[in-house]
Amino acid sequence: AQTVTQSQPEMSVQEAETVTLSCTYDTSESDYYLFWYKQPPSRQMILVIRQEAYKQQNATENRFSVNFQKAAKSFSLKISDSQLGDAAMYFCAYRFIGGGADGLTFGKGTHLIIQP
Amino acid sequence: DVKVTQSSRYLVKRTGEKVFLECVQDMDHENMFWYRQDPGLGLRLIYFSYDVKMKEKGDIPEGYSVSREKKERFSLILESASTNQTSMYLCASKTGTAIYEQYFGPGTRLTVT
């Protein structure tokens, strides 16, 4: 079975600084997707960034980028120039590429605090 | 934009009551999901559906059932609510293609007393 581990229950960063959230996963599959989702307080969960395992290039979305290390099964999220609106729970998630409508496998989340 | 809505943001029920949580999506998605979110445990999959009237158990189906009579609507049913079902419930949907991004509703915080 696949597992996703987020070892940092909580992280704190000063506004405008850079922070990296860690995620490791365990799978025997070779083709899969990895995601970072953001859940602001009392608001809807939204997708931040997605990485296809077969792509060597790390995904980027504006201030958000990932460091995908397939051999190490590591998928960290870097947030540059942190803003107050980045404060949220962040979840790392995994889905193998294949048939079926199985849900995503999520980590336990990291609570990101932005200090003004 | 994809919109997933849930019938209630907050719900308080008594032990033993039958509880219905409703989810509606407006993007003609084939697949729909119910997750439970608890602090320190992340999101855990309860049930999912890949088509009308089709359903599959997720990781923690005990104490729950689901219904999907129409493509846009997926209901989670607690036949006899218990205090250990106090939680945040999230609905999600996705297209049936190989794009795996899921779109989430705002969640229902259920308290069973």
Side-chain angles (χ1 to χ4, degrees):
Chain A
Q2 297 83 12
T3 58
V4 177
T5 301
Q6 293 179 249
S7 58
Q8 306 152 317
E10 187 172 278
M11 292 281 286
S12 183
V13 64
Q14 292 289 129
E15 196 176 0
E17 292 187 350
T18 295
V19 63
T20 298
L21 308 184
S22 301
C23 173
T24 58
Y25 58 94
D26 187 25
T27 183
S28 57
E29 304 286 339
S30 57
D31 293 328
Y32 47 86
Y33 282 99
L34 296 163
F35 305 87
W36 278 99
Y37 277 88
K38 171 185 177 181
Q39 186 181 40
S42 301
R43 291 181 59 189
Q44 217 137 336
M45 187 172 297
I46 57 173
L47 179 69
V48 175
I49 202 164
R50 178 180 69 198
Q51 175 79 42
E52 292 89 339
Y54 63 86
K55 290 187 177 178
Q56 293 186 340
Q57 186 173 7
N58 288 326
T60 62
E61 287 287 343
N62 301 313
R63 297 182 296 106
F64 297 87
S65 61
V66 299
N67 183 7
F68 173 50
Q69 303 287 331
K70 191 173 184 180
K73 295 182 182 175
S74 172
F75 182 60
S76 60
L77 175 70
K78 185 172 82 171
I79 306 174
S80 304
D81 185 26
S82 299
Q83 300 176 0
L84 294 178
D86 295 333
M89 283 293 292
Y90 286 82
F91 293 96
C92 180
Y94 164 96
R95 171 62 163 93
F96 72 91
I97 293 178
D102 307 15
L104 301 176
T105 300
F106 285 88
K108 294 182 179 180
T110 296
H111 181 211
L112 179 63
I113 299 167
I114 310 295
Q115 307 275 9
Chain B
D1 285 348
V2 175
K3 191 169 184 182
V4 181
T5 57
Q6 295 183 227
S7 51
S8 306
R9 288 302 301 272
Y10 300 94
L11 206 54
V12 180
K13 295 292 181 180
R14 293 193 180 277
T15 301
E17 279 193 84
K18 190 169 186 176
V19 182
F20 291 86
L21 303 182
E22 305 284 339
C23 175
V24 177
Q25 50 92 5
D26 66 357
M27 281 300 290
D28 201 36
H29 282 172
E30 288 80 6
N31 304 147
M32 298 187 73
F33 307 83
W34 276 106
Y35 292 89
R36 171 175 172 160
Q37 182 181 8
D38 298 290
L41 296 179
L43 281 74
R44 294 177 291 168
L45 181 65
I46 305 172
Y47 266 96
F48 64 92
S49 168
Y50 51 90
D51 203 348
V52 175
K53 297 189 185 295
M54 307 302 284
K55 59 187 178 184
E56 293 285 344
K57 293 179 180 179
D59 300 319
I60 53 165
E62 296 78 18
Y64 304 94
S65 62
V66 290
S67 172
R68 193 167 181 201
E69 297 296 320
K70 294 185 178 182
K71 191 175 184 180
E72 68 271 17
R73 187 179 298 270
F74 191 35
S75 302
L76 180 69
I77 304 159
L78 288 66
E79 293 289 342
S80 178
S82 63
T83 55
N84 63 13
Q85 293 178 310
T86 292
S87 186
M88 171 71 86
Y89 291 88
L90 296 176
C91 175
S93 74
K94 66 175 278 295
T95 177
T97 68
I99 297 173
Y100 294 103
E101 176 184 348
Q102 294 188 10
Y103 296 86
F104 285 83
T108 296
R109 185 166 296 282
L110 172 67
T111 301
V112 182
T113 60

